[in-house]
Amino acid sequence: MTMASQLPRHCGPSCIALSHSSTWSPLLWMLLLGFSPHSSAHQRTVSHSIKIEGDITLGGLFPVHSKGPAGVVCGEIKKEKGIHRMEAMLYALDQINSDPDLLPNITLGARILDTCSRDTYALEQSLSFVQALIQRDNSDVRCSNGEPPIIPKPEQVVGVIGASASSVSIMVANVLRLFDIPQISYASTAPELSDSNRYNFFSRVVPPDSMQAQAMVDIVKAMGWNYVSTLASEGNYGESGVDAFMQISREAGGLCIAQSIRIPREPRKGEFDKIIKRLMETSNARGVIIFANEDDIKRVLEAAKRANLTGHFLFVGSDSWGAKSSPILNQEDVAEGAVTILPKRASVEGFDQYFTTRSLENNRRNLWFAEFWEDDFKCRITRTGIKVENGLRKCTGEERIGRDSAYEQEGKVQFVIDAVYAMAHALHTMHIDLCPGFMGVCDKMDPVEGAMLLRYIRAVNFNGSAGTGVMFNENGDAPGRYDIFQYQLSNTTNPGYKLIGQWNNHLRLNMEDMLWPGGEHQVPDSVCSFPCESGERKRMVKGVPCCWHCELCDGYQYLADEFNCDICPYNMRPNKNRTDCRPTPIIKLEWSSPWAIIPVFIAVLGILATTGVIVTFIRFNDTPIVRASGRELSYVLLTGIFLIYLITFLMIAEPGTVVCAFRRLLLGLGMCISYSAMLTKTNRIYRIFEQGKKSVTPPKFISPTSQLIITFILISVQLLAIFIWFGVVPPHSYIDYEELRPPNPEDARGILKCDMSDLSLISCLSYSMFLMVTCTVYAIKSRGVPETFNEAKPIGFTMYTTCIIWLAFVPIFFGTAQSAQKMFIQTTTLTVSMSLSATVSLGMLYIPKVYVIIFHPEQNVQKRKRSFKSVAQAATASSHLSQKSNDKQNGETKIEPDRSQ
């Protein structure tokens, strides 16, 4: 390409000629010729560059001065970030040039420029690096004598060390890449510079902020935080760092950003108080990730202190905070517990020795050293015609750095030295390959081809000044190696920044060394929602994956996963912490239960009594009382009473197929036998006395055989129904999990029972109830029979009492259907009711007879045998007496006249 010609040093104005064949923009033309839009202002403030002669020249860009106020490019000198770093490059050049094994017989020179911490000014300054690469068309240029001009060859800058700020490096890299000049930065960490398509000639010996952001994400996760806020100073460093942090946290998952706040370049009054107020809107996010410059960090801490939030926010600071004391000065209590990150580095002892021996006499090559001297020692160097300001002493030149002023090696000195050495190692390898055995720079390296040098730079691998390896990946980035610090104020033995871990592609964090506000060792929480308790599911907040509400899995639900509750299977219930289901306990009526002891006791007494009656009747089978009571039906009735007592044991026994079959069979059969016999008896008495009212002919079917046949016919109805039931639904036991399933699953029980519902149980008894009611009706009808003939009256009393018992049974049985003790209450109620009804029958009908048989045998004698005719006469007389009684009650009694007068 062709560029504008430059004014020759040995020609007059007539030599100037411009070629208009350039393809460069007008702005670049103006910059190259020194006619930038800011040139008038710069003319007054531009500092000279440092020029060090050498066989190969390296460029250097350092922020020797800060930004100037409005209208002024450069401001005050920057001692650490400017002078320390720039002197580190000079120190590295001295070391390399004195090393016989690295670039032997080749001297490295330098052209070092001041960027004044301003990207646009740095761009203008760096254009001097590309002058030697501009191809000039001198065909139209002639001196006044007609000779061609003598144009000196400008020095070639083969590579550039710098810049410091990422914004400056981005601006400069855009120009240097056009001329294939490799660039190695010692401090620029913006992730944007990792784009090898846009910044393909850029490399750096410091890791990019994306790695720093990855390290910070790993730190946050290691501390168990999932909800944090971010603070970023406006500009490339802060915003790129936070963007990288947010991007990595999204990809990693499990980490949410509560607030992402940007600090303006020129914050208004009260801006930082508003920032703290915004952070408190999500007060649970106690962790604050901060990518900010030192001034902004300090003002954030001041605002937190003003808001009386000391100890609330827990900061995780980037390398701009690092282990510096200036951001936390006078705000130590607010910064307590802050975790900060810093690229792994070490102090270079050789540089300390070098720099502390620098003086005005031995460091004349540094054009800005006198300005540094005045600022460092607070004195003024006398100059001709310039008076020393009042209050400032005169510099003697005998002052010494580190003795008469505070000195601490600036943190990036190591990386400046490594950047220079990386360039030297690349040139050394390149020289070995291109100039084997040649002493000095050979033709193949004159000029040095930038694209080739870049390949050698990317291939370097050596131990740097701190003993760590220096290398580059395909994007020109150095590997990420960070030290992790925590500011500990409660550490009384060694307060201040303490090394608590490292990050080298993976995190190594010593949690036990961490100390939090108040001297606590437990890591404070910074979470949107705390973990749910056992048995609680998460109900996520829409759009915020780290926030949720905890809802208890209630009833018979268990926690299927962290987001869902499922209902346990019908035969199971949740365990106490509701993490799983467990089998529901199975219960049955135990023999030792009070619900069983009482009915068993009654049944045992009843069986003994019934057995005693049967034995007595058998023993005195032919006595008049036994025969008069109807021996055949009495034995049938006593058998029924015995079975009624026996059913108690079957109702309490553990349900099984055999037990369930006998329950079905005997539950209603005992009552059916008893009441069939009593019904036959009352029916016989009723028919005899009704027939006696009409004629002296006895009724049919009153013989003992007939009575037994009638009784067995009545019993067969019950048996037929039961056997049909057996055929339709075979008896079996099962576990009922629904009956005892209260709201509290801890009280849930499975009940082992027979396949008899309440309805089927009542159905078993319904026929017996019918017989009982019918018998009661006949007993009522037979209540008027004369006492001498009346066996119906004891049966009547028996039936009245039995009806009362069963009337009480119904509400108790069905009224407890919803009770948790339903099975026990109903079983006890049923068995006791049956035993009581059997006891009433036994006591009313047979105990008096047994008493007479045993204790009054003299009454157990044969009485005059009554014919049916006498029975009929008694029935007629009884009818007439009943009629007269009714007449008296109706007021119709006739008064006979007194015949004595």
Side-chain angles (χ1 to χ4, degrees), residues 573 584-587 736-737 740-742 745-751:
R573 60 176 181 167
T584 301
I586 300 171
I587 62 170
D736 186 353
Y737 291 98
L740 199 54
R741 195 174 175 88
E746 288 300 310
D747 298 330
R749 297 291 185 272
I751 303 174

Side-chain angles (χ1 to χ4, degrees), residues 562-770:
E562 61 178 332
F563 302 107
N564 298 292
C565 296
D566 280 350
I567 297 178
C568 287
Y570 76 98
N571 61 342
M572 305 185 81
R573 60 176 181 167
N575 55 20
K576 288 188 177 181
N577 57 15
R578 295 183 178 272
T579 57
D580 203 354
C581 294
R582 54 180 172 165
T584 301
I586 300 171
I587 62 170
K588 59 184 180 62
L589 186 56
E590 301 291 342
W591 294 102
S592 58
S593 170
W595 298 101
I597 291 174
I598 295 174
V600 167
F601 178 73
I602 296 173
V604 169
L605 292 180
I607 288 174
L608 292 176
T610 305
T611 304
V613 171
I614 294 173
V615 170
T616 302
F617 267 48
I618 293 174
R619 172 69 177 79
F620 299 96
N621 188 55
D622 293 326
T623 61
I625 289 180
V626 175
R627 285 186 296 174
S629 64
R631 287 177 298 183
E632 296 79 7
L633 284 182
S634 291
Y635 288 131
V636 172
L637 197 151
L638 288 169
T639 301
I641 292 174
F642 185 88
L643 293 178
I644 291 174
Y645 285 124
L646 187 63
I647 194 64
T648 297
F649 298 94
L650 291 172
M651 296 300 294
I652 296 173
E654 181 176 339
T657 303
V658 175
V659 171
C660 292
F662 277 101
R663 276 191 192 180
R664 284 193 193 182
L665 180 63
L666 300 181
L667 182 61
L669 185 61
M671 292 179 63
C672 176
I673 292 172
S674 297
Y675 297 131
S676 294
M678 280 192 279
L679 176 58
T680 303
K681 273 193 172 189
T682 53
N683 176 263
R684 175 178 177 272
I685 295 170
Y686 174 76
R687 286 189 295 115
I688 287 173
F689 283 94
E690 284 296 314
Q691 183 68 20
K693 293 177 185 179
K694 301 176 183 177
S695 68
V696 295
T697 305
K700 297 178 181 181
F701 310 118
I702 61 173
S703 65
T705 303
S706 300
Q707 297 298 297
L708 287 175
I709 292 172
I710 293 171
T711 301
F712 286 125
I713 289 173
L714 293 176
I715 293 171
S716 64
V717 175
Q718 175 82 12
L719 289 173
L720 179 63
I722 290 172
F723 285 116
I724 291 174
W725 187 10
F726 279 167
V728 175
V729 182
H732 63 276
S733 63
Y734 74 103
I735 301 172
D736 186 353
Y737 291 98
E738 296 300 326
E739 181 175 308
L740 199 54
R741 195 174 175 88
N744 184 4
E746 288 300 310
D747 298 330
R749 297 291 185 272
I751 303 174
L752 180 61
K753 56 169 58 174
C754 291
D755 59 327
M756 294 177 66
S757 63
D758 293 349
L759 180 60
S760 61
L761 186 145
I762 296 300
S763 298
C764 277
L765 300 174
S766 59
Y767 181 63
S768 299
M769 298 289 185
F770 169 75

Side-chain angles (χ1 to χ4, degrees), residues 488-610:
Q488 299 179 353
L489 197 60
S490 302
N491 190 339
T492 55
T493 58
N494 188 23
Y497 291 100
K498 180 175 181 178
L499 183 67
I500 59 170
Q502 295 85 31
W503 190 90
N504 187 2
N505 291 326
H506 66 275
L507 179 67
R508 294 190 300 274
L509 192 63
N510 302 319
M511 303 292 292
E512 62 276 6
D513 293 339
M514 302 183 80
L515 203 59
W516 301 94
E520 294 291 331
H521 287 277
Q522 180 67 33
V523 180
D525 293 313
S526 181
V527 295
C528 181
S529 301
F530 290 99
C532 292
E533 297 291 335
S534 180
E536 293 181 338
R537 75 177 184 94
K538 292 180 180 179
R539 184 167 65 83
M540 304 305 297
V541 176
K542 188 176 181 180
V544 189
C546 298
C547 299
W548 59 81
H549 300 296
C550 294
E551 294 182 345
L552 180 67
C553 296
D554 55 359
Y556 287 80
Q557 294 179 329
Y558 73 100
L559 192 66
D561 54 54
E562 61 178 332
F563 302 107
N564 298 292
C565 296
D566 280 350
I567 297 178
C568 287
Y570 76 98
N571 61 342
M572 305 185 81
R573 60 176 181 167
N575 55 20
K576 288 188 177 181
N577 57 15
R578 295 183 178 272
T579 57
D580 203 354
C581 294
R582 54 180 172 165
T584 301
I586 300 171
I587 62 170
K588 59 184 180 62
L589 186 56
E590 301 291 342
W591 294 102
S592 58
S593 170
W595 298 101
I597 291 174
I598 295 174
V600 167
F601 178 73
I602 296 173
V604 169
L605 292 180
I607 288 174
L608 292 176
T610 305

Side-chain angles (χ1 to χ4, degrees), residues 46 190 277 389 398 539 592 705 716 861:
V46 168
K277 188 175 181 181
E389 298 179 14
E398 299 299 323
R539 184 167 65 83
S592 58
T705 303
S716 64
V861 295

Side-chain angles (χ1 to χ4, degrees), residues 839-854:
T839 303
V840 168
S841 300
L842 189 66
M844 290 281 188
L845 299 177
Y846 296 103
I847 296 300
K849 293 180 174 60
V850 172
Y851 177 78
V852 171
I853 292 170
I854 295 175

Side-chain angles (χ1 to χ4, degrees), residues 328-380:
I328 62 171
L329 188 63
N330 301 323
Q331 311 298 330
E332 291 85 355
D333 52 344
V334 187
E336 184 179 9
V339 177
T340 58
I341 191 170
L342 199 60
K344 192 172 185 63
R345 64 191 184 192
S347 180
V348 182
E349 294 182 4
F351 177 78
D352 289 339
Q353 184 179 0
Y354 161 81
F355 191 75
T356 54
T357 58
R358 296 298 90 191
S359 66
L360 294 173
E361 294 299 324
N362 63 17
N363 200 21
R364 294 183 181 276
R365 64 182 178 179
N366 185 346
L367 299 179
W368 300 288
F369 196 72
E371 189 178 354
F372 162 80
W373 195 271
E374 291 179 331
D375 187 79
D376 194 43
F377 295 107
K378 302 297 185 288
C379 63
R380 280 289 179 265

Side-chain angles (χ1 to χ4, degrees), residues 817-893:
Q818 303 302 321
S819 172
Q821 304 291 327
K822 172 188 173 183
M823 181 190 72
F824 308 117
I825 295 174
Q826 289 187 342
T827 302
T828 302
T829 302
L830 176 62
T831 54
V832 169
S833 297
M834 295 181 71
S835 293
L836 287 178
S837 63
T839 303
V840 168
S841 300
L842 189 66
M844 290 281 188
L845 299 177
Y846 296 103
I847 296 300
K849 293 180 174 60
V850 172
Y851 177 78
V852 171
I853 292 170
I854 295 175
F855 297 104
H856 295 283
E858 71 278 3
Q859 296 180 13
N860 188 10
V861 295
Q862 179 72 37
K863 294 184 180 181
R864 182 174 61 88
K865 188 175 181 179
R866 294 185 292 268
S867 65
F868 181 77
K869 181 178 180 181
S870 63
V871 172
Q873 289 173 352
T876 304
S878 175
S879 176
H880 290 163
L881 287 174
S882 177
Q883 181 65 38
K884 286 181 179 181
S885 176
N886 290 336
D887 291 343
K888 283 183 179 182
Q889 292 176 0
N890 295 331
E892 297 177 357
T893 304

Side-chain angles (χ1 to χ4, degrees), residues 60-80:
L61 292 172
F62 296 92
V64 179
H65 292 86
S66 62
K67 289 182 183 179
V72 179
V73 175
C74 300
E76 297 178 349
I77 197 165
K78 301 178 75 170
K79 294 191 296 180
E80 288 81 13

